[in-house]
Amino acid sequence: MESEVSLVAITSKLWHDFFREYVADPMMTEIPYQYSYQSCEDYFRKMTSDVTRKYFAIIANGKVVGQIYLKHIDWYAKTSSFGIALSNDLVKGKGYGTKAITALLKYAFNDLHLETIFADTVLRNVRSQHVLEKLGFTHTHDDDNFRFYKLSRSSLRLSNALR
């Protein structure tokens, strides 16, 4: 049975639900994450007070399985980048990330009327690169650590899926 995935505007409770289950991905960092209510709450307040960001909880089977967010929203240029984090390895490889990114792109293009979305992955994160390319993102360049992508409304390969 295919799982339904939805995005819900982040709240403090959903933020904490995510981070209580979060295990740092060794592909991203070698530093293990340890949940602390106060540091998590401080981080929530800091990140959600940034007006150039919009955060969502990724919900699958009634449970928070990740976070996804638009960042560096430039209303004048109609651009943004996005970030995504799944809580741990138990929820990876199930399509949740792909479905969440698709929902976020629909929101960004159709509701916010953005024209271009940028993304990046660490060079060794081939899984994320595959997802971005499958969704129509174009590889633009690499630096020493990251591979960079962009998706413009005018160049959508999955335009029907994003309407």
Side-chain angles (χ1 to χ4, degrees):
M1 181 170 100
E2 191 168 308
S3 176
E4 187 69 28
V5 172
S6 61
L7 303 186
V8 176
I10 201 76
T11 63
S12 175
K13 180 190 180 317
L14 293 171
W15 188 274
H16 284 272
D17 288 350
F18 168 75
F19 278 105
R20 272 197 283 294
E21 299 295 321
Y22 181 73
V23 175
D25 188 332
M27 193 171 299
M28 303 299 290
T29 181
E30 295 176 6
I31 302 168
Y33 173 77
Q34 186 167 6
Y35 175 79
S36 153
Y37 179 87
Q38 192 58 55
S39 61
C40 187
E41 185 65 20
D42 292 345
Y43 189 48
F44 168 76
R45 293 193 187 289
K46 175 184 175 192
M47 299 312 283
T48 59
S49 67
D50 181 342
V51 297
T52 69
R53 291 176 177 249
K54 290 188 177 286
Y55 280 88
F56 300 90
I58 303 168
I59 309 292
N61 302 317
K63 183 177 177 183
V64 177
V65 297
Q67 281 187 357
I68 191 166
Y69 52 96
L70 292 168
K71 58 184 178 178
H72 312 299
I73 300 170
D74 182 331
W75 297 109
Y76 179 75
K78 296 185 177 185
T79 63
S80 181
S81 298
F82 83 91
I84 184 171
L86 296 178
S87 57
N88 57 59
D89 286 344
L90 297 175
V91 300
K92 293 179 182 175
K94 298 177 186 274
Y96 300 152
T98 301
K99 290 177 183 179
I101 295 167
T102 300
L104 186 75
L105 292 172
K106 286 179 185 178
Y107 173 73
F109 288 131
N110 299 333
D111 296 349
L112 300 182
H113 307 289
L114 298 177
E115 293 294 328
T116 304
I117 306 295
F118 297 98
D120 59 72
T121 70
V122 294
L123 289 173
R124 63 184 180 270
N125 192 344
V126 177
R127 181 186 288 180
S128 289
Q129 293 162 20
H130 172 73
V131 169
L132 292 174
E133 291 165 7
K134 179 171 70 171
L135 291 175
F137 280 81
T138 301
H139 172 239
T140 59
H141 66 284
D142 296 343
D143 68 12
D144 291 341
N145 300 303
F146 293 94
R147 176 158 288 174
F148 296 88
Y149 292 86
K150 81 173 189 174
L151 178 65
S152 298
R153 177 196 298 266
S154 62
S155 67
L156 283 177
R157 281 191 246 154
L158 296 179
S159 59
N160 290 337
L162 296 176
R163 289 179 199 227

